[in-house]
């Protein structure tokens, strides 16, 4: 059974076996990242809307400069770690192209 027949018959196990562990690892990382980001963006958006509404109603005063400083610190801390993840994927997985395809496929939006 070739790859095209595997996809048409819904035999995803055969497809993953054909593509290898690199694809599977990339797919899992992409899916987990997409799920995590959706959750973080929802919580962050809810908190920001709540802060905007409370400040608009003059119930609180928000120091946006403090938020900016925390954000810049977070970005400075996370940037080297993301480079390490990229290095890990390209160095330790036998097929970086298949891992990238799996990452893309896991991260894409489901229709």
């Amino acid at each position: 059974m070739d790859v095209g027949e595997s996809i048409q018959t819904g035999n995803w196990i055969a497809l993953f076996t054909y593509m290898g562990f690199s694809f599977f690892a990339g797919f899992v990382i992409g899916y987990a990242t997409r799920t995590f980001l959706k959750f973080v963006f929802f919580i962050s958006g809810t908190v920001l809307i709540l802060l905007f509404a409370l400040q608009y109603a003059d119930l609180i005063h928000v120091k946006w400069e403090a938020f900016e400083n925390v954000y810049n610190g977070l970005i400075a801390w996370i940037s080297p770690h993301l480079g390490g993840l990229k290095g890990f994927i390209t160095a330790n997985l036998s097929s970086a192209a298949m891992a990238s395809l799996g990452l893309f496929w896991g991260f894409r939006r489901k229709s």
Side-chain angles (χ1 to χ4, degrees):
M1 179 179 284
D2 69 352
V3 177
E5 290 176 20
S6 295
I7 294 172
Q8 290 175 353
T9 59
N11 190 357
W12 294 103
I13 300 296
L15 179 65
F16 285 139
T17 304
Y18 176 78
M19 290 188 170
F21 178 74
S22 299
F23 176 81
F24 179 72
F27 179 81
V28 169
I29 290 169
Y31 185 81
T33 303
R34 180 176 60 97
T35 303
F36 175 75
L37 287 177
K38 282 173 62 176
F39 177 74
V40 167
F41 289 153
F42 176 77
I43 296 298
S44 299
T46 303
V47 168
L48 286 174
I49 289 173
L50 182 63
L51 287 175
F52 288 141
L54 290 174
Q55 185 175 4
Y56 182 77
D58 283 333
L59 296 174
I60 62 170
H61 177 70
V62 179
K63 295 182 181 180
W64 295 110
E65 297 83 21
F67 276 105
E68 185 176 0
N69 291 337
V70 169
Y71 174 78
N72 289 336
L74 180 67
I75 294 300
W77 178 79
I78 239 172
S79 295
H81 293 21
L82 290 178
L85 177 64
K86 178 185 173 192
F88 170 77
I89 289 174
T90 56
N92 293 325
L93 295 177
S94 60
S95 173
M98 291 307 290
S100 299
L101 178 64
L103 186 67
F104 169 74
W105 211 357
F107 197 76
R108 72 184 177 122
R109 181 174 172 87
K110 292 183 180 178
S111 303

